[in-house]
Amino acid sequence: MIDTQFCGLAEIRAISYFSSSLYLKESIEEVLWDITKNVIHQLGFVDCIIYTYDVDRELLTQRAAYGVKNPIGEKIYNQINIALGEGIVGSVALTGNAKIIRDTSKDPRYIKDDEYRLSEICVPIVINGTLFGIIDSEHPEMGFFTEKHLYLLTIIAALCGQKIKELGVNNKKNFSKANQYFKKLEELMRFKKLYRNPCLSLSSVAEVLGISACYLSSMVNSLLNKSYIDFINEYRIADVKRNLNSKAFAHYTIISVGLEAGFNSKSAFYSAFKKHTGITPKEYRDRCAYVS
């Protein structure tokens, strides 16, 4: 329950928006970017970074951003990692206790990222008692962040953690090879030969399917246990193998066959072919000629 006496109308709207929008989110990336791009903006902050925690490396990695760090789309400018215990972010990750730093110039832990700012607030995202990440926001004005902001970000972090927990439990169950989008995806590859487009991107295919890029990536990964680019390249390599063994392409150079299949460069072609077959395209063609 939101304390309406503690929060203003703008803050209540921001929390209500986030609570409602979570139902439509299908991946962790969508949840995190929704916080930075929409919720944080509504709160009137000028900057926000969400870090996620890599347990094996004990590193916090910038995963979503708002402000100078996010000049366009879902890109993070000069993406950095912070070690557990390092800086204010790392300290909050280590202790699990949210912090408001009213004057960063007096805190030796402060780490400059894109520019110096005089106040900072850090709130951990915890799932089942385990650190998932950190919501970190800075402001050029000293003493900008208040207990009200801490209260709001704590609610946002809790909602975020709950949704990510649900995604982790349900993600595999949500997909099957009977999924209408997966069936349409396979049709586009098998019959429309969409993979032959050298400029084909995750977002462009998602747009054709009418779904988000995050949903498409999660679907391919969950159903096939492989990345989107590996999925596309397998179709391209199958095309290359057929054509290298075809008289109709006997006058083509090997690189021309690769480009015809949708690879956009010689290096990308040779690297993918070796990764998926264990041999080079020339070795494959020579073996086919020997067998013939």
Side-chain angles (χ1 to χ4, degrees):
M1 181 70 70
I2 300 174
D3 187 341
T4 55
Q5 292 183 332
F6 194 53
C7 299
L9 185 58
E11 288 82 7
I12 293 173
R13 283 176 176 170
I15 297 296
S16 297
Y17 161 82
F18 187 50
S19 300
S20 301
S21 71
L22 281 176
Y23 290 105
L24 303 175
K25 301 299 174 281
E26 298 158 341
S27 71
I28 292 173
E29 285 74 17
E30 286 185 305
V31 173
L32 301 185
W33 280 104
D34 192 38
I35 294 174
T36 55
K37 281 185 168 292
N38 299 314
V39 180
I40 294 300
H41 174 70
Q42 291 187 43
L43 292 176
F45 294 2
V46 298
D47 161 87
C48 181
I49 301 286
I50 296 182
Y51 295 79
T52 53
Y53 181 53
D54 184 328
V55 178
D56 295 330
R57 297 191 299 159
E58 294 191 336
L59 280 179
L60 292 139
T61 300
Q62 294 180 338
R63 191 84 169 265
Y66 171 75
V68 177
K69 293 281 290 187
N70 172 232
I72 189 170
E74 293 184 353
K75 303 291 184 183
I76 300 178
Y77 172 72
N78 192 28
Q79 190 173 20
I80 66 170
N81 298 323
I82 292 179
L84 184 67
E86 180 185 13
I88 295 168
V89 169
S91 297
V92 168
L94 186 63
T95 64
N97 298 321
K99 289 287 183 184
I100 294 175
I101 309 300
R102 303 189 186 282
D103 185 355
T104 60
S105 68
K106 296 180 179 178
D107 195 318
R109 298 173 301 173
Y110 180 74
I111 297 174
K112 175 192 172 185
D113 187 352
D114 56 301
E115 60 183 63
Y116 283 108
R117 298 185 181 89
L118 288 173
S119 55
E120 184 171 1
I121 185 169
C122 284
V123 177
I125 301 170
V126 178
I127 302 174
N128 291 336
T130 300
L131 178 71
F132 171 82
I134 298 287
I135 301 175
D136 177 61
S137 184
E138 297 182 12
H139 197 279
E141 180 183 326
M142 188 183 300
F144 174 81
F145 296 109
T146 66
E147 292 299 322
K148 177 182 72 174
H149 294 132
L150 186 63
Y151 173 73
L152 291 167
L153 286 187
T154 300
I155 293 176
I156 290 169
L159 292 171
C160 174
Q162 181 58 39
K163 180 60 179 182
I164 291 170
K165 179 181 177 181
E166 291 172 6
L167 287 171
V169 171
N170 298 327
N171 193 41
K172 296 284 184 182
K173 297 178 182 179
N174 286 340
F175 299 114
S176 75
K177 290 191 177 180
N179 182 297
Q180 60 173 322
Y181 300 116
F182 183 72
K183 291 168 71 175
K184 179 64 175 177
L185 176 64
E186 288 197 311
E187 288 175 7
L188 290 171
M189 298 303 155
R190 290 179 180 176
F191 305 116
K192 299 293 185 181
K193 310 294 184 185
L194 211 62
Y195 58 86
R196 288 180 176 170
N197 177 1
C199 298
L200 195 66
S201 66
L202 177 68
S203 58
S204 65
V205 175
E207 187 175 350
V208 171
L209 294 172
I211 57 178
S212 72
C214 291
Y215 183 90
L216 173 56
S217 178
S218 296
M219 180 176 68
V220 171
N221 184 263
S222 296
L223 290 176
L224 306 177
N225 196 30
K226 65 185 66 168
S227 68
Y228 164 81
I229 191 61
D230 280 342
F231 170 72
I232 297 298
N233 282 344
E234 284 183 358
Y235 277 96
R236 290 170 173 164
I237 290 165
D239 221 19
V240 168
K241 290 166 76 173
R242 281 192 299 270
N243 294 336
L244 285 177
N245 200 25
S246 169
K247 291 181 179 180
F249 285 81
H251 62 292
Y252 276 61
T253 63
I254 291 177
I255 183 61
S256 294
V257 172
L259 297 176
E260 187 79 15
F263 289 103
N264 58 16
S265 70
K266 178 180 178 180
S267 60
F269 168 39
Y270 274 66
S271 176
F273 196 93
K274 185 72 179 288
K275 175 182 177 181
H276 288 271
T277 67
I279 59 176
T280 67
K282 183 179 184 304
E283 288 171 331
Y284 180 83
R285 186 185 65 175
D286 290 346
R287 289 183 185 184
C288 290
Y290 177 77
V291 172
S292 299

